[in-house]
């Protein structure tokens, strides 16, 4: 691997990467509405020299460089969350402004910066005539913000596109990540008995049951334990929504719903998490309830209808795994120092690639996780350059570890 040449090209294409990111930001794309951004990315990928570009049934774009016998894929989801309260933004959310070493706009860190650096890496590999052991694939995936990992569940199970290794380019502040907690969504439905509000003793208030249930969830969160090696930390659960209603404003409510966000550490599964909630509610004296995991079901921009339960399995790979070691060696070869090896706090497409399908994944991306979903989102152009060099170097380093 010619680290010097890769670094030179990443520096040469520094402005190119930033300008591509700016262009991508300026074409808004939310889950299931990614069409225009996908076609822009297709054009940029073609210009960078990617081959075999294709769009799958859910609207994700893939392209490759190289013709090896094994597949590594660099993944970036290209949908973003909305802008929230636009008055909190100092610049228009989709300006894509390049200024003072930063690119501004919704998705700059989460995670369009990774997509822009992937395009530059493809160009570098193409210009270096990469012909190693790997087909180097680049995936620009859809619907991640609504349902992380579903795009890869579809690619693997429906399109039969199965890589050997993967790199998530979600923001890591250019650190090397090897896992994160899983998550799931849990809905609690509670029934009471309505009666006239002037005589509440005649009824059975779903509101009071919901209050006891919420406090039971708070106590459950305190009891959850970390994984054995402490790498991922403890699981968590929080009530994120409560809805209580009945036949009128002058009646005891007979229906309540609590929605919970559950983060899963190593060894925790959806079955375990649901049983914990059921047990906690019973201990709190709540009766006449059901606990279930909702399902995501919404047509993609292509019109394809696909669905999955809102369960996103925990994943991690060992620190001594060949992919982690190759990543660390690529980083050290390029930048002359060891990378920080860590984990994400949030969730990524790794829940499907590694969590469901056990394909090894590492993470390395430009930008900061703390920028995700926040107003005034930015990413550093320095990070874009570093990430582009890392992505171009990794396939070469993997061959040294075969």
């Amino acid at each position: 691997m010619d680290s010097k040449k890769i670094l030179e090209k990443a520096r040469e294409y520094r402005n190119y990467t930033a300008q591509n990111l700016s262009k991508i930001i300026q074409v808004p794309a939310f889950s299931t509405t990614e069409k225009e951004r996908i076609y822009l990315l297709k054009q940029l990928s073609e210009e960078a020299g990617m081959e075999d570009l294709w769009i799958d049934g859910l609207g994700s774009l893939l392209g490759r460089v190289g013709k090896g016998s094994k597949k590594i894929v660099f993944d970036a989801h290209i949908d973003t969350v909305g802008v929230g309260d636009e008055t909190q933004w100092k610049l228009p959310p989709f300006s894509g402004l390049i200024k003072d070493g930063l690119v501004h706009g919704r998705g700059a860190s989460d995670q369009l910066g990774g997509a822009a650096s992937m395009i530059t890496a493809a160009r570098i590999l193409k210009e270096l005539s990469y012909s190693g052991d790997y087909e180097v694939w680049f995936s620009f995936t859809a619907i991640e913000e609504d349902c992380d990992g579903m795009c890869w569940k579809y690619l693997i199970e429906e399109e039969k596109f199965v890589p050997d290794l993967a790199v998530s380019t979600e923001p890591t502040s250019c650190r090397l990540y090897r896992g994160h907690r899983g998550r799931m969504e849990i809905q609690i439905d509670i029934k009471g008995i309505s009666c006239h509000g002037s005589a509440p003793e005649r009824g059975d208030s779903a509101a009071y049951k919901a209050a006891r249930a919420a406090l039971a969830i708070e106590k459950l969160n305190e009891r959850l334990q970390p994984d054995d090696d402490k790498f991922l930390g403890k699981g968590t659960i929080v009530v994120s929504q409560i809805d209580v209603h009945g036949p009128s404003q002058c009646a005891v409510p007979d229906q309540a719903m609590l929605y919970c966000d559950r983060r899963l550490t190593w060894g925790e599964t959806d079955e375990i998490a649901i049983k914990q909630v059921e047990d906690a509610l019973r201990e709190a004296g709540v009766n006449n309830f059901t606990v279930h995991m909702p399902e995501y079901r919404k047509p993609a921009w292509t019109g394809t209808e696909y669905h999955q339960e809102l369960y996103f399995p925990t994943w991690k790979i060992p620190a001594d795994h060949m992919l982690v070691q190759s990543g660390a060696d690529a980083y050290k070869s390029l930048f002359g120092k060891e990378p920080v090896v860590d984990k994400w706090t949030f969730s990524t497409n790794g829940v499907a690639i590694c969590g469901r399908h056990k394909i090894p994944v590492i993470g390395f991306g430009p930008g900061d996780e703390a920028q995700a979903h926040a107003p005034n989102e930015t990413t550093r152009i320095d990070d874009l350059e570093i990430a582009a060099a890392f992505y171009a170097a990794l396939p070469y380093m993997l061959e040294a570890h075969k």
Side-chain angles (χ1 to χ4, degrees):
M1 182 182 85
D2 192 336
S3 300
K4 183 178 179 182
K5 178 66 74 174
I6 290 172
L7 286 170
E8 286 174 352
K9 285 192 171 291
R11 171 53 64 104
E12 177 186 348
Y13 292 133
R14 175 184 174 89
N15 292 335
Y16 164 82
T17 312
Q19 288 163 3
N20 278 344
L21 175 54
S22 176
K23 291 176 185 177
I24 298 165
I25 290 171
Q26 291 175 55
V27 179
F30 312 111
S31 294
T32 74
T33 68
E34 303 96 338
K35 181 177 180 179
E36 289 188 25
R37 183 174 280 168
I38 284 290
Y39 277 100
L40 169 63
L41 287 160
K42 187 171 185 288
Q43 175 190 334
L44 297 175
S45 298
E46 286 172 343
E47 292 170 356
M50 288 190 208
E51 303 173 49
D52 290 342
L53 283 154
W54 58 286
I55 297 171
D56 81 346
L58 280 190
S60 299
L61 170 71
L62 292 94
R64 68 160 180 86
V65 173
K67 294 183 178 180
S69 60
K70 293 176 282 190
K71 290 186 177 72
I72 182 171
V73 63
F74 292 85
D75 178 65
H77 76 80
I78 56 80
D79 57 325
T80 71
V81 296
V83 301
D85 180 2
E86 197 163 341
T87 65
Q88 296 183 29
W89 289 75
K90 298 174 183 177
L91 295 168
F94 301 103
S95 70
L97 178 68
I98 302 172
K99 185 179 180 181
D100 298 330
L102 300 171
V103 185
H104 297 255
R106 175 54 85 216
S109 280
D110 183 22
Q111 63 128 145
L112 304 177
S117 295
M118 284 160 47
I119 291 168
T120 300
R123 182 169 180 173
I124 292 170
L125 287 167
K126 194 72 175 177
E127 292 183 1
L128 293 178
S129 301
Y130 174 76
S131 59
D133 292 345
Y134 287 86
E135 284 185 350
V136 184
W137 284 90
F138 300 89
S139 60
F140 305 90
T141 44
I143 319 182
E144 192 273 351
E145 290 292 1
D146 266 11
C147 192
D148 34 323
M150 189 175 75
C151 51
W152 269 98
K153 184 176 185 293
Y154 185 89
L155 275 165
I156 293 168
E157 296 180 12
E158 308 302 326
E159 299 282 4
K160 309 305 179 186
F161 181 83
V162 184
D164 297 286
L165 302 169
V167 179
S168 170
T169 66
E170 291 266 19
T172 69
S173 305
C174 294
R175 298 170 179 171
L176 182 62
Y177 285 2
R178 61 179 183 90
H180 61 68
R181 293 180 302 170
R183 72 178 186 91
M184 64 183 294
E185 299 178 28
I186 298 174
Q187 182 170 325
I188 304 166
D189 294 307
I190 301 174
K191 289 188 176 182
I193 299 173
S194 64
C195 68
H196 200 281
S198 63
E201 68 278 3
R202 298 173 183 165
D204 184 15
S205 173
Y208 298 152
K209 289 183 178 183
R212 291 196 295 273
L215 292 174
I217 296 300
E218 182 181 30
K219 289 182 179 179
L220 172 60
N221 179 64
E222 295 170 357
R223 297 199 301 266
L224 297 175
Q225 299 297 312
D227 67 323
D228 290 339
D229 67 10
K230 308 296 192 295
F231 174 64
L232 295 179
K234 72 183 289 292
T236 59
I237 186 168
V238 66
V239 176
S240 57
Q241 183 181 353
I242 299 178
D243 178 51
V244 177
H245 59 277
S248 84
Q249 295 296 95
C250 298
V252 168
D254 58 357
Q255 298 173 67
M257 185 279 294
L258 292 82
Y259 210 84
C260 299
D261 178 288
R262 176 68 157 92
R263 301 290 157 154
L264 303 158
T265 195
W266 194 250
E268 293 182 326
T269 65
D270 53 339
E271 292 91 351
I272 289 171
I274 286 176
K275 186 177 186 303
Q276 287 173 335
V277 169
E278 292 172 339
D279 291 346
L281 297 187
R282 291 190 187 101
E283 289 172 13
V286 179
N287 59 17
N288 206 3
F289 66 84
T290 60
V291 180
H292 74 280
M293 179 167 46
E295 187 176 77
Y296 181 85
R297 186 184 293 267
K298 194 173 180 181
W301 70 261
T302 58
T304 299
E305 292 194 15
Y306 196 62
H307 61 91
Q308 72 161 66
E309 70 280 8
L310 291 172
Y311 172 51
F312 310 93
T314 310
W315 68 275
K316 63 180 178 178
I317 63 173
D320 61 358
H321 190 282
M322 175 270 290
L323 181 56
V324 177
Q325 292 300 306
S326 296
D329 288 348
Y331 186 93
K332 186 173 181 180
S333 177
L334 289 167
F335 308 114
K337 58 183 179 180
E338 296 286 345
V340 174
V341 179
D342 207 342
K343 61 186 179 297
W344 283 285
T345 301
F346 63 23
S347 182
T348 74
N349 280 334
V351 296
I353 305 170
C354 191
R356 285 182 183 270
H357 291 282
K358 312 307 177 189
I359 297 166
V361 176
I362 57 170
F364 191 95
D368 301 330
E369 187 174 347
Q371 291 282 323
H373 303 188
N376 305 304
E377 188 176 351
T378 63
T379 202
R380 293 172 292 273
I381 298 174
D382 285 349
D383 282 23
L384 300 176
E385 181 182 334
I386 290 167
F390 179 84
Y391 303 156
L394 184 60
Y396 291 100
M397 191 57 69
L398 284 167
E399 294 176 33
H401 283 263
K402 61 184 177 182

